[in-house]
Amino acid sequence: MTSTDKPTHRVGVLALQGAFARHVESLTRCGADAFEVRTPEQLAACDALVIPGGESTTMAMLLDRLELRTPLAERLNDGLPVFGTCAGMILLAKEIADGRPDQVPFDVIDIDVRRNGYGRQINSFEADIAVEGLDGSSFRAVFIRAPVVTRVGAEVDVLAEVDGDPVMCRSGHVSVVSFHPELTDDDRLHRLFLDRL
Amino acid sequence: MAETGSDNTSSRTDGTVRVKRGLAEMLKGGVIMDVVTPEQAKVAEDAGATAVMALERVPADIRRDGGVARMSDPEMIEGIKEVVTIPVMAKARIGHFVEAQILQALGVDYVDESEVLTPADEAHHIDKFAFAVPFVCGATNLGEALRRISEGACMIRSKGEAGTGNVVEAVRHLRSIIGDIRRITQSDEAELFQWAKSLQAPLPLIQEIAETGKLQVPLFCAGGLATPADAALAMQLGAEAVFVGSGIFKSNDPAPRAKAIVEATTNFEDAEILAKVSRGLGAPMTGIDMDDIDVRLSERGW
């Protein structure tokens, strides 16, 4: 399943709900073969996966109802490279606070998050952040009802912060951000993800 | 390594157009459900709604009862905010900027300046740039959509005819908006001036559409959707998400219908799944033919 000898990476974007189309656009601009994932067959075709922003409760329910949860958990545990943004970060975390009781995360990166930790929509914001490993200027990060990272495990690298809170973390094949790189034309974080495949 | 901003003196800005349109982006591919009680809000969230619209009466009841329909009681909106974790929207009357101020103070996540309520101003819509909370507005055609965007709307929903359970007007409005977008992309520079005149819409917005082929903000569908097939129809026609009002809680068995509409919206192109989720849902809301209605809510808005 590795794609190191292939010129383009087959990157799926989980398309149950949310900003999946914007991720497909960003990844395509970066030269990846990007496609939407709604079925176990499409999931099996991925070399890497993006879990987009959207409503994490809705996505979690649809994962169950469309019988994607088990195959996705297996791929993630087998080391499928994954990039989770906002709701994607929530789904990949270890513990979720202020979620629904039946919302079980995949637990593939050792962080805890609090849903809507910055508040409601009127508290949503954008900010310039410095990202470790990123060339050039700062990155304009857009936070929409974003989760707050409340605990970071010892094995996890924090790559960016806002006011002392981690907003970008990486551990092995799992990268997560609490903001929305797909809402800007700046593709550097998508490129960073692809460069590491 | 040296670049990491541990002492980020961050340039946090809230209420930007990008942040306001951003929440609409997050609601794409989902279903926003009208609810009138906290219990209904739970049913909606349990079914996988991406957001709820808190209101006192669903459009079918507003239509039946008549009288002036206004913003909901703040207590009722707060009751709904308390029981769900998904975004909560609420409606203000067209032009009633004070109702919008109150909704923003209550911390609702989106304000719907809605023709379903009785208009408060027969010439002016709300100046939506004046708010940090984002607004969604209805439109029956592209000109109306662009006038709303020029006033600061961050999401457009085709109006349809709310409270009828009849999808025909939603289809008409979606086809009108998306059809004109397609035609504009085929127009030359001189024709764009004519488009601006005939649609009564700002020229720069028309020119932008000619270039991108897309509306500036997410385009959702509302008004008369009652079945999973209706939701999938709207999505296949080009809507990016759907609002379902009376269609869920005026049906015989709301919870399974709500779930089915959520699954249909995600899998809108997969007829096998649509067939599966459409089974055994009980009776949908009865619905009304367009010739039998006295008030066309979609004609409200200027």
Side-chain angles (χ1 to χ4, degrees):
Chain A
M1 284 317 266
T2 60
S3 60
T4 43
D5 51 349
K6 281 197 268 173
T8 51
H9 299 290
R10 292 181 53 73
V11 183
V13 180
L14 192 66
L16 304 180
Q17 188 273 313
F20 52 85
R22 299 291 289 264
H23 274 295
V24 171
E25 287 170 21
S26 295
L27 292 163
T28 305
R29 282 197 299 265
C30 294
D33 174 11
F35 54 95
E36 296 175 1
V37 172
R38 292 188 181 82
T39 66
E41 295 72 34
Q42 290 161 341
L43 177 63
C46 298
D47 303 328
L49 184 72
V50 172
I51 303 184
E55 279 307 313
S56 61
T57 54
T58 303
M59 285 188 217
M61 278 178 230
L62 286 167
L63 279 172
D64 288 326
R65 286 193 231 150
L66 299 172
E67 292 168 2
L68 276 167
R69 181 178 292 276
T70 308
L72 178 51
E74 283 170 9
R75 291 293 313 271
L76 291 172
N77 290 325
D78 286 348
L80 177 71
V82 61
F83 183 28
T85 63
C86 195
M89 171 192 257
I90 295 171
L91 292 176
L92 294 167
K94 187 174 183 66
E95 298 269 351
I96 305 171
D98 294 347
R100 289 168 51 92
D102 58 355
Q103 203 177 356
V104 184
F106 285 106
D107 184 13
V108 288
I109 182 164
D110 187 18
I111 60 170
D112 295 346
V113 298
R114 181 154 21 89
R115 272 187 73 210
N116 306 330
Y118 292 97
R120 305 193 70 91
Q121 171 61 16
I122 44 172
N123 309 114
S124 292
F125 62 97
E126 35 186 289
D128 290 322
I129 61 168
V131 177
E132 187 179 318
L134 208 61
D135 296 332
S137 55
S138 60
F139 192 91
R140 191 70 176 164
V142 184
F143 295 82
I144 311 283
R145 286 171 47 96
V148 168
V149 177
T150 54
R151 186 192 60 83
V152 177
E155 304 296 306
V156 176
D157 293 324
V158 174
L159 304 180
E161 297 181 336
V162 167
D163 298 338
D165 289 322
V167 297
M168 178 169 182
C169 300
R170 185 164 62 210
S171 177
H173 62 290
V174 182
S175 300
V176 292
V177 294
S178 55
F179 53 92
H180 295 282
E182 76 282 9
L183 291 186
T184 62
D185 296 328
D186 189 341
D187 297 325
R188 285 179 295 161
L189 292 189
H190 289 89
R191 218 173 280 282
L192 194 65
F193 175 63
L194 294 172
D195 285 348
R196 288 173 50 86
L197 297 180
Chain B
M1 189 113 339
E3 291 171 316
T4 306
S6 53
D7 61 344
N8 244 320
T9 45
S10 73
S11 52
R12 277 170 72 149
T13 336
D14 54 21
T16 64
V17 167
R18 189 153 49 189
V19 160
K20 295 199 284 186
R21 291 182 183 175
L23 181 55
E25 295 285 340
M26 296 313 130
L27 299 172
K28 281 184 178 176
V31 184
I32 300 155
M33 301 183 192
D34 278 3
V35 298
V36 301
T37 62
E39 292 71 35
Q40 288 187 355
K42 281 306 285 179
V43 170
E45 189 180 67
D46 289 348
T50 50
V52 292
M53 177 74 70
L55 69 179
E56 244 152 43
R57 291 176 290 171
V58 293
D61 291 336
I62 292 174
R63 193 176 280 290
R64 188 197 59 210
D65 299 347
V68 175
R70 311 177 177 88
M71 177 189 81
S72 297
D73 186 331
E75 201 169 277
M76 175 266 174
I77 294 169
E78 277 172 342
I80 286 173
K81 271 174 55 198
E82 265 166 39
V83 298
V84 294
T85 65
I86 54 179
V88 175
M89 304 186 174
K91 290 182 192 288
R93 283 178 268 179
I94 289 173
H96 205 316
F97 49 87
V98 174
E99 283 187 349
Q101 290 164 5
I102 292 169
L103 293 174
Q104 174 168 280
L106 289 172
V108 307
D109 296 296
Y110 240 94
V111 174
D112 184 0
E113 186 184 18
S114 178
E115 71 284 358
V116 168
L117 305 184
T118 310
D121 190 320
E122 293 190 330
H124 309 93
H125 281 253
I126 297 171
D127 168 13
K128 292 164 275 286
F129 286 112
F131 290 80
V133 66
F135 281 73
V136 50
C137 288
T140 57
N141 58 54
L142 184 59
E144 203 177 355
L146 293 177
R147 289 195 294 280
R148 298 296 83 80
I149 292 169
S150 71
E151 296 155 0
C154 291
M155 179 203 300
I156 293 295
R157 53 172 176 76
S158 56
K159 284 180 181 170
E161 194 55 43
T164 62
N166 189 337
V167 79
V168 66
E169 294 300 303
V171 168
R172 187 195 318 280
H173 300 157
L174 264 184
R175 280 201 182 276
S176 172
I177 293 168
I178 293 170
D180 275 353
I181 290 174
R182 266 197 291 266
R183 284 183 277 276
I184 285 172
T185 61
Q186 303 299 311
S187 302
D188 71 14
E189 285 297 322
E191 288 166 336
L192 297 182
F193 295 100
Q194 178 54 30
W195 274 110
K197 276 181 278 186
S198 66
L199 291 176
Q200 300 181 330
L203 179 65
L205 295 183
I206 301 276
Q207 289 167 326
E208 201 180 332
I209 286 177
E211 206 165 292
T212 64
K214 286 195 302 196
L215 199 64
Q216 285 80 358
V217 305
L219 173 63
F220 293 8
C221 177
L225 277 58
T227 67
D230 288 349
L233 175 65
M235 296 293 287
Q236 286 197 28
L237 284 170
E240 296 176 298
V242 298
F243 286 79
V244 183
S246 318
I248 290 171
F249 290 101
K250 283 290 166 187
S251 72
N252 271 3
D253 197 358
R257 178 168 298 270
K259 279 186 187 171
I261 292 175
V262 168
E263 286 177 46
T265 304
T266 291
N267 299 286
F268 66 95
E269 289 180 310
D270 189 331
E272 305 263 328
I273 293 183
L274 295 177
K276 195 175 94 181
V277 304
S278 298
R279 277 166 206 272
L281 296 178
M285 70 179 284
T286 311
I288 316 173
D289 190 83
M290 287 309 127
D291 293 336
D292 299 331
I293 59 174
D294 300 329
V295 182
R296 289 251 178 169
L297 301 175
S298 61
E299 289 173 0
R300 297 166 166 176
W302 356 102

